[in-house]
Amino acid sequence: MRLTDLLGAVVVEPDGREIGVVHDVVLVQDGVVLENWGAALRLHWLLVGSSARWARLGLDRRSTHGPAPVTWLTRRAGPPLRIPWAAVDEVADGRITVQAGAAEPIDVD
């Protein structure tokens, strides 16, 4: 599987309820040690929702200041949702099925 299979994919619960679209992921460098690299990267979270695209810039946090209109729109959209990779049941054809109740808002303050 490639990262491009995940980015832009629609996330749904088993009952078909749409949660949102994957805009970013969180990787953790704690895998097996690779020669000339260090520890391998492991997928830890999917970041879902329209405000997830701004989270990588930190504009969803109260302590970060950016262009006022962008910051206002980002905060108005609410915090992005994160879904642990362990809660993913299936990835197929631009659609990711996750366990019910797996999505949780990110505490950004």
Side-chain angles (χ1 to χ4, degrees), residues 34-100:
L34 303 173
E35 185 177 331
N36 297 327
W37 170 261
L41 297 171
R42 176 179 57 86
L43 183 58
H44 190 62
W45 297 101
L46 300 175
L47 299 181
V48 178
S50 61
S51 58
R53 69 184 86 198
W54 301 108
R56 73 183 76 147
L57 300 175
L59 293 175
D60 57 336
R61 297 184 185 141
R62 301 255 179 245
S63 60
T64 303
H65 302 286
V70 174
T71 304
W72 180 82
L73 286 171
T74 301
R75 292 184 184 149
R76 184 164 187 228
L81 299 174
R82 67 180 178 188
I83 300 173
W85 180 246
V88 173
D89 289 334
E90 181 183 18
V91 178
D93 300 324
R95 189 175 171 100
I96 300 172
T97 306
V98 299
Q99 298 167 4

Side-chain angles (χ1 to χ4, degrees), residues 4-11 20-23 48 91 94-96:
T4 54
D5 297 334
L6 302 175
L7 296 176
V10 176
V11 179
V21 175
V22 177
H23 288 289
V48 178
V91 178
R95 189 175 171 100
I96 300 172

